[in-house]
Amino acid sequence: MTSSSYGSTRLEAAGFVVHPARRAAAEAARAIGGWLEERGVRTPTIAGDDAEDEEAAREFARGLDLVLSVGGDGTFLRAARVASVSGIPVLGVKVGRMGFLTEVEPDQATAVLERMLDGSARIEERLAVVAEGSSFEPQWALNEVIVEKSARHRLIRLAVFVDDAYVTTFSADGVISATPTGSTAYSFSAGGPIVSPSVPCIVVTPIAAHMVFDRSLVLAPDQRVRLEVLGEEPGLLSADGRHSLELPVGSTVQIERAPTPARFVRREDAPSFHDLVRD
């Protein structure tokens, strides 16, 4: 889903999530942060790697009105998770290769932030998902949740249920549950469809399935996916590429629409989704 809105947005504190290894990202964050501080906005900063820690992300997000990602799409995914804690918008400042998620070049950021300050910024909402299980804390994801094999030369067997109805069992390298935003990421590489962000859905795509049926399932946004680890091989769970969590045989993972969407700050002349796909 996508929906755009304009409205008054208080901007007293803007937190920066910065790529830890790119000097250009640190320099851009300092310049943008200085511009905001001149206008009375607090600008705490956290490194992208540190933002992966659940407790650190919650503490950092407290009291923020905006999160700025300075780096590439990986940094943006970490920043979006931080922003999701408080339901605040995130703005992606692109430093490095072109990405689907980062919105502006460093020299364009202040023009967008001016619109945040005067309450006229365009905010776009995107569907996100959350994965839950008995052995781990809920895992929020903007792109995808992956359940995959833990041993390189083995396969994992995953039973797939949709709203408690059994669908199939994949014998594969893994299964991806992707959002429309994530349809152009790992799901696309695994043969899944390209989905416009304006189409609310969850896409379930097997990774290198060793069976005749190896197609994606496109589900309604309010349907629930349940994956059960069968057989003898345990699995791993990862949300948006974060640290993998172990899934013993018999584990169950439920993936469904997150209670609140991700919120992107968009510039007025932002390229369309299909422009990005073409480029």
Side-chain angles (χ1 to χ4, degrees):
M1 60 168 279
T2 60
S3 63
S4 296
S5 63
Y6 300 80
S8 177
T9 303
R10 180 186 64 177
L11 186 53
E12 297 177 356
F16 284 77
V17 179
V18 183
H19 192 292
R22 290 184 184 165
R23 179 179 297 178
E27 292 173 352
R30 279 195 297 271
I32 298 167
W35 185 91
L36 285 168
E37 288 167 2
E38 290 174 358
R39 287 151 181 82
V41 180
R42 291 193 301 108
T43 58
T45 300
I46 189 171
D49 290 347
D50 293 337
E52 290 197 10
D53 180 82
E54 183 77 26
E55 187 174 338
R58 288 189 177 278
E59 182 63 28
F60 181 71
R62 187 175 292 117
L64 296 180
D65 305 305
L66 172 71
V67 172
L68 289 100
S69 161
V70 188
D73 279 358
T75 305
F76 188 94
L77 290 173
R78 296 179 179 94
R81 176 169 169 263
V82 171
S84 74
V85 172
S86 300
I88 57 178
V90 58
L91 171 63
V93 180
K94 180 171 56 183
V95 179
R97 298 183 300 274
M98 176 184 172
F100 272 91
L101 301 174
T102 48
E103 180 71 4
V104 297
E105 300 287 349
D107 60 359
Q108 301 170 324
T110 55
V112 178
L113 290 169
E114 284 277 17
R115 300 186 72 87
M116 287 293 295
L117 287 165
D118 68 20
S120 64
R122 175 184 162 203
I123 308 295
E124 182 177 285
E125 295 187 344
R126 297 280 187 97
L127 183 147
V129 293
V130 62
E132 296 182 304
S134 61
S135 62
F136 57 87
E137 293 294 319
Q139 299 293 304
W140 184 92
L142 172 61
N143 264 2
E144 77 267 310
V145 173
I146 303 169
V147 176
E148 60 187 332
K149 63 184 184 180
S150 58
R152 180 179 179 186
H153 299 295
R154 303 290 182 91
L155 298 175
I156 188 171
R157 293 185 66 231
L158 294 170
V160 181
F161 296 78
V162 176
D163 288 341
D164 297 325
Y166 172 73
V167 177
T168 189
T169 297
F170 285 120
S171 181
D173 286 358
V175 169
I176 304 165
S177 297
T179 68
T181 302
S183 71
T184 54
Y186 195 177
S187 177
F188 173 74
S189 298
I194 295 175
V195 181
S196 168
S198 63
V199 178
C201 64
I202 297 174
V203 180
V204 181
T205 301
I207 307 168
H210 289 239
M211 52 196 294
V212 174
F213 178 70
D214 62 353
R215 299 293 188 265
S216 297
L217 305 171
V218 181
L219 308 178
D222 294 320
Q223 291 187 290
R224 299 184 312 277
V225 180
R226 189 171 86 243
L227 303 176
E228 294 185 4
V229 182
L230 305 178
E232 300 178 352
E233 292 301 319
L236 298 172
L237 180 145
S238 178
D240 282 349
R242 297 194 297 273
H243 181 71
S244 296
L245 305 172
E246 295 184 0
L247 295 174
V249 173
S251 296
T252 297
V253 178
Q254 181 165 287
I255 301 117
E256 59 187 330
R257 183 183 200 161
T260 56
R263 303 178 69 214
F264 294 7
V265 181
R266 303 299 310 274
R267 70 179 201 259
E268 292 302 313
D269 61 343
S272 73
F273 171 74
H274 297 290
D275 288 336
L276 291 173
V277 171
R278 183 192 64 241
D279 291 342

